[in-house]
Amino acid sequence: MKAVRRSIVAACATVLFGALTFPQSADACTRFVYHGAGNDVFTGRSMDYKVDTGSHLWILPRGIARNGEAGANSLTWASRYGSVITSAYDFATTDGMNETGLVANLLWLAESEYPERNNDKPGLSISAWTQYMLDNFATVDEAVKALADEPFTLISDSAPGEQRLATLHLSLSDASGDSAIIEYIKGRQVIHHSRDYKVMTNSPIFEEQLALESYWRQIGGTVMLPGTNRASDRFARAAFYVDAIPKSSDPVESTASVFGVIRNVSVPYGITTPNEPNISSTRWRTVSDHTRKRYYFESALSTNVFWVDLQKIDFSERTGKVKRLDLGPQQRTIYSGEANAQFKDAKAFRFLGV
């Protein structure tokens, strides 16, 4: 038994060494799911990127006709559920929650390799991947079952203003506390589905992140936790703190605890690191209260947290309206408290095509 334990520790240490020595992407984010008291479920995420992504908030009702924007034989659908989302450049959905409490978070993964275009399958631009999930599914289990048959080919393109491919992976969480991580590794879709999969960062791939978590659990977070801004270290801290924070029956305290964790794994704004001049700062953070259908937003460059109450929004196809909340350049505009009334009528944006 001791020999088996030693071999496990050795294997985890090998993965840890690889994580410490493997060149990591400068674009980084963190996501975790918190299982609170009773039926409370929260998802927190940070958006870390080396440039401003022109993010704004949108209210999107049911019934909007979508196009996968992948050229000939693009996937088409109409939104079954309304959602509140955070955009990138107003041509992609990077984060959001729908009216049933399903949350989707898009994060960078340098190791992503997408399949070759299969003309027999409809294509879906990666810019609309997150929105497709929010539009079509009420639960993680429903989404995972639908994705098992791979109903589309995911298509990526160069990141805006760059020569490199946009390489991303997607997390889902719902009001029951269920969770899934969807990646494309060596051209194949890989889905990790369990309510135990509460934390996701960037590199390495999720399978190796689980090995890192096992390693740090044996050490114990009260003994030592890694403190750098690397993805593997942020994973270890988030995995420890999401289980260490109290399970309060007071939603105000729970929200504060979840914000405390996501701030702990954020990258200070404007930080510079030797040999990594383009290290990504945290641009903004979101906390989704699945139970009360509240979507909280915090910008690194404004002074207040505000939220959107999805239970007060008309998402109906007949009378619901597309609305936009302008966050200003680099999300500097200050909002406070419930911001539902601050949204303005707008035309739905078109997803970036490939």
Side-chain angles (χ1 to χ4, degrees), residues 85-347:
I85 66 98
T86 302
S87 68
Y89 306 105
D90 281 350
F91 59 55
T93 297
T94 59
D95 193 82
M97 176 165 62
N98 73 15
E99 60 184 302
T100 73
L102 182 75
V103 169
N105 317 104
L106 195 65
L107 281 70
W108 196 268
L109 178 65
E111 292 89 345
S112 298
E113 294 180 38
Y114 303 106
E116 294 292 329
R117 178 66 188 269
N118 181 350
N119 290 324
D120 295 331
K121 282 188 178 181
L124 176 66
S125 169
I126 201 166
S127 65
W129 191 19
T130 307
Q131 194 63 50
Y132 175 81
M133 301 301 172
L134 296 173
D135 282 352
N136 286 288
F137 305 111
T139 68
V140 171
D141 189 64
E142 182 186 358
V144 168
K145 287 177 179 175
L147 293 176
D149 294 331
E150 299 194 42
F152 56 80
T153 300
L154 190 67
I155 311 296
S156 188
D157 203 351
S158 297
E162 303 183 42
Q163 299 300 314
R164 61 176 179 167
L165 196 69
T167 51
L168 305 161
H169 57 170
L170 183 70
S171 68
L172 301 174
S173 49
D174 65 25
S176 75
D178 200 5
S179 179
I181 287 86
I182 308 160
E183 299 179 336
Y184 282 84
I185 307 301
K186 296 182 179 179
R188 301 194 60 166
Q189 177 184 262
V190 178
I191 299 177
H192 300 271
H193 179 202
S194 170
R195 61 183 284 118
D196 294 332
Y197 297 154
K198 294 180 286 188
V199 180
M200 180 176 87
T201 54
N202 314 106
S203 299
I205 62 175
F206 190 71
E207 182 178 353
E208 294 178 8
Q209 290 184 30
L210 294 177
L212 289 168
E213 181 181 19
S214 175
Y215 175 86
W216 285 109
R217 281 191 183 278
Q218 292 184 63
I219 293 176
T222 58
V223 176
M224 179 179 65
L225 280 172
T228 80
N229 51 29
R230 290 177 178 272
S232 54
D233 288 3
R234 287 183 281 107
F235 186 99
R237 295 202 303 279
F240 170 74
Y241 283 118
V242 74
D243 288 334
I245 56 178
K247 296 183 183 297
S248 173
S249 58
D250 182 345
V252 175
E253 292 182 356
S254 295
T255 304
S257 293
V258 172
F259 263 110
V261 176
I262 198 61
R263 289 168 181 151
N264 182 278
V265 295
S266 295
V267 181
Y269 191 84
I271 193 171
T272 58
T273 302
N275 302 318
E276 296 184 78
N278 293 322
I279 193 68
S280 296
S281 299
T282 296
R283 300 279 167 176
W284 47 260
R285 290 172 281 266
T286 62
V287 167
S288 298
D289 182 341
H290 297 257
T291 308
R292 296 163 191 84
K293 309 298 190 296
R294 280 190 173 186
Y295 184 71
Y296 294 86
F297 189 93
E298 180 182 53
S299 168
L301 292 177
S302 66
T303 56
N304 287 331
V305 173
F306 66 91
W307 66 85
V308 183
D309 190 334
L310 276 71
Q311 297 189 92
K312 296 181 179 179
I313 296 174
D314 179 6
F315 285 115
S316 67
E317 182 175 354
R318 187 172 63 86
T319 57
K321 295 181 179 180
V322 175
K323 293 178 178 287
R324 179 179 183 267
L325 185 67
D326 191 325
L327 300 182
Q330 298 184 329
Q331 301 79 56
R332 288 174 179 259
T333 301
I334 296 174
Y335 296 99
S336 181
E338 184 187 301
N340 290 40
Q342 306 302 314
F343 281 76
K344 305 297 182 185
D345 291 355
K347 182 181 179 181

